[in-house]
Structures are given as C-alpha cells and as structure tokens.
Amino acid sequence: MLKNRGGVGPSLLSEAAAAHTSGVNAPPIEYARTADGISIAYSTYGDGKAVVNMPTIPFRHVGLLWNISAANRRQAQLIASVGRRWVMFDPRGMGSSAPVDLFSLEGFVADLEAVADKLALDQFDLVATTYSNPIAIEYAYRHPERVSHLVLQYPFLRSAEALRTPTLRAVKALRGHDWGVFTDAVAHLFYGHERSAESQILSSVLREAITPERAWQVFELIDEFDVTRQAEGLKVPTLVTTEAGRSVSIEESRLVAATIPSAKFVITESLEQFMRASAQFLGLAPGGPPAPSADRTIDAPAVSLTPRELEVLALVVAGQSNRKIAEALVLSERTVARHIANIYEKTGVHGRAEITAYALRHRLA
C-alpha cells in the first residue's frame, strides 16, 4: 500500500514563516461548484481583469503554494501591482478541492468553467504549464469569447509523442514505486541539484496535493491527451513559450505554435524571461508582444557524430555521470570525457544542458 508521507521540510517551513512575517497575507480560499457537483477551491489576489494561472497537474495546491513558493507569491503580487487580478484554483481531487475517484479532460475543463462562472469572468487571460496545457487549449477552443490571451508554457499536442523525452520516460518508469521515493525522484528529474529549493517545493506540493492512488490515475489520463484538433481550430491570441532542456522538448512546443493559427513562439532561458515575455504579451509590461524566436540553431542540420559519440550522447541526455557512462560502455572516464569534449566541439555548444537541448532538437537521443 502506498502512503502519502505528507509534511514540509524545515527549509520550506522557514520560507513559509517568512511569508507570514512579510506583511503579505495569504488570500482566502473560496469555493465554486461544477456542473457535476464538485466543489472547487480557488483564491484571488488583487483587482481588475483576471489572469488565471494553471500550474501543471497534479502539482496543484493553492494554499500550500502560496506559503512555500516565493515565486508563486511574487507572480501574484506582480499581477496585482499593475491593476490585474491573479486567480488560481485546485482542480478536482487536488489540494483543497473535493476528492474524486475518476478523472477526465472533460472534468478538468468543468473545473475551470466553474471558477470562471463563479467569478463572473466575461474575459480573462489564461496561463498554463506542461500537463495543464491541454486543459487550457480545450477550454479556449470551447470558449474563445472568454479568453483574451492564452499563454502556454512547455506545451504539447499528443502525449504519445511528447512524453518520450528522457525525463518523462524516467518519470513514467517510476510510477508504482514508494510514494516518497517517487515524489523526490520526480522533483529531482525536473529541477536537479542546481535548483534544489524548487525541487523541494515541487516534491512537497505533490505529496500534499493528492493521494498516490489518485496521482496514478491523473498520470494515466495525461498519457492519453491529444488536443491537435482543438489547437488547429483555436481562435485566441496565443503565446507558446519553451526552454531548452525541459521535460517537453522544444520541437514538441514548436509544433504547438505551428498548429495554432497565428501563435507566437518564444524560447526563454529562465523563469524571469518567461515572466517578462508573458507580461509583455498580456500587456502587463511595456515593450509590446515579444518577437517570435529567430531560433536559427534549431533549424540547422545536425552535425555528424560517430556511433560511439551517439552512444555517449544518449547517456548524457539520460542524465548519467561520466563514471556511469564509463561503466555502461566499458570505457575509462578519461575516454568518456574525451568523447564529450569532441561532441561539444562538433556541435558548437557547451555544458550538459545545452547538449541535451541540442540532442532533443535534432532527435539524436
């Protein structure tokens, strides 16, 4: 039997305490009811035209995210500071919303419909991330008159293709493991050691937001998403953003932008760049809509690598250390290092993040 360990680590508790002493009170949690009778928890911050934020499912817990995520609070405060209203909600079966035993794309769209109706949002901007993107696309397709602008971060059309990246294949392989091991491993796969604070937040939110049994159901549903038809018929101004080395490949997000009529496509390099590009697109910051990415290197043909270099590259993309690569290929670590240096020289990139992005762009791994 899998168990939800629950709890927040000491560093996160310290951050939560700092939030409560910063003079920024957590917004109250309110409730809307869906057409099928499910109680949906939501919070708002600020006044004015709404920006509805949909972080990836099932990592959704409005109250906890406000307390432990400085980035989440900062986003809400920035939106409120320019005369807009930040809105976030917990989908059914997650966070403070009512528990359910069955999940569907239809149900998740109904959750957003319930919140928009309860708040009487005639028009609003909608921002979604990764697994929540199909829900946002489906909603905007059904209600184009209500969505002023749509921002899709790391989107995909069909799960069958998009979830083949090394990170998401690894996440899928971990399903069914001990819940604590799974949540920690998923957070590490998404953020790694370099962003350990964000990794801790992600792990804690997943543990508290949903039970293990419901999480497996949500992930199985995600495996079936396909919103190609809806994207082709979308009539909402759309910004597609992505970042090299993320769980959904640049090519998958580029396909979304190519499928949605008149969508803009921008590659960012950090959360700050994403927020700036989104703010410009939504009219929250000066500078006007961001220009589409030139992205010349993506269209350039892949360089020619030797069979051994391709083997090494595949293991680099899978996140293996030089020592692990050496063990897997029965080579010395010095030889592995030489192969990696040759790969860098041939491709003109530097560092594992860049070479991973290059490999995924050109389908070399």
Side-chain angles (χ1 to χ4, degrees):
M1 180 71 177
L2 296 171
K3 294 183 179 180
N4 186 338
R5 296 190 304 177
V8 179
S11 63
L12 297 181
L13 288 174
S14 299
E15 186 180 349
H20 289 302
T21 59
S22 66
V24 181
N25 294 323
I29 294 177
E30 302 179 74
Y31 292 89
R33 188 166 293 276
T34 66
D36 56 341
I38 307 300
S39 183
I40 301 300
Y42 69 90
S43 287
T44 69
Y45 187 82
D47 297 295
K49 184 179 177 181
V51 178
V52 178
N53 183 31
M54 296 173 60
T56 188
I57 56 173
F59 304 84
R60 300 276 283 277
H61 196 309
V62 170
L64 181 59
L65 270 170
W66 183 275
N67 281 336
I68 68 176
S69 173
N72 189 70
R73 293 192 301 276
R74 178 172 165 239
Q75 184 182 64
Q77 291 168 310
L78 286 172
I79 290 171
S81 71
V82 293
R84 302 289 293 275
R85 176 166 46 160
W86 170 90
V87 178
M88 197 161 83
F89 66 95
D90 295 336
R92 60 187 61 206
M94 302 172 206
S96 298
S97 290
V100 297
D101 293 322
L102 293 174
F103 296 93
S104 66
L105 180 58
E106 186 77 26
F108 286 139
V109 172
D111 300 341
L112 175 52
E113 290 173 335
V115 173
D117 289 345
K118 178 66 179 293
L119 292 173
L121 304 181
D122 293 331
Q123 278 204 326
F124 60 94
D125 295 324
L126 184 57
V127 181
T129 301
T130 316
Y131 297 153
S132 291
N133 283 306
I135 303 167
I137 291 171
E138 179 71 34
Y139 180 91
Y141 175 75
R142 296 186 191 184
H143 305 283
E145 75 288 351
R146 300 187 77 169
V147 181
S148 299
H149 297 84
L150 179 63
V151 177
L152 305 173
Q153 186 183 30
Y154 320 133
F156 57 91
L157 296 175
R158 293 178 293 273
S159 300
E161 286 84 6
L163 304 188
R164 290 176 181 169
T165 63
T167 294
L168 294 180
R169 284 202 304 265
V171 168
K172 190 170 184 177
L174 287 166
R175 297 181 197 175
H177 285 61
D178 173 82
W179 184 235
V181 172
F182 175 81
T183 55
D184 288 342
V186 167
H188 174 71
L189 283 167
F190 280 132
Y191 288 114
H193 292 301
E194 309 83 31
R195 298 163 72 178
S196 59
E198 290 169 278
S199 177
Q200 273 193 296
I201 289 170
L202 193 74
S203 177
S204 295
V205 168
L206 184 56
R207 291 178 196 175
E208 297 294 334
I210 193 168
T211 65
E213 292 78 12
R214 292 188 180 113
W216 306 145
Q217 288 187 48
V218 172
F219 284 124
E220 287 174 2
L221 173 65
I222 290 168
D223 289 344
E224 301 173 359
F225 281 159
D226 184 345
V227 289
T228 304
R229 176 180 58 84
Q230 295 88 330
E232 290 172 343
L234 207 56
K235 299 177 181 179
V236 174
T238 303
L239 173 66
V240 174
T241 75
T242 191
E243 185 179 331
R246 307 303 292 181
S247 54
V248 175
S249 74
I250 287 177
E251 287 302 328
E252 290 295 334
S253 294
R254 179 200 292 283
L255 180 59
V256 175
T259 302
I260 297 174
S262 302
K264 297 182 182 298
F265 180 62
V266 175
I267 298 175
T268 61
E269 296 180 359
S270 65
L271 176 61
E272 290 70 25
Q273 284 191 10
F274 162 72
M275 292 179 67
R276 184 163 59 250
S278 300
Q280 290 175 358
F281 182 71
L282 300 178
L284 307 180
S293 296
D295 190 20
R296 299 185 188 88
T297 58
I298 292 179
D299 293 325
V303 299
S304 177
L305 300 178
T306 68
R308 178 63 86 184
E309 286 168 348
L310 288 171
E311 289 178 333
V312 170
L313 178 59
L315 292 172
V316 169
V317 171
Q320 298 297 312
S321 66
N322 285 15
R323 181 173 62 81
K324 290 291 186 181
I325 295 172
E327 291 174 356
L329 300 180
V330 194
L331 301 171
S332 69
E333 288 188 50
R334 178 175 294 181
T335 300
V336 169
R338 188 176 70 250
H339 282 308
I340 292 175
N342 289 340
I343 293 169
Y344 287 165
E345 183 177 356
K346 287 183 177 181
T347 58
V349 303
H350 302 282
R352 288 184 172 238
E354 289 186 33
I355 196 58
T356 296
Y358 183 94
L360 295 176
R361 285 198 301 267
H362 295 289
R363 302 188 182 278
L364 296 177

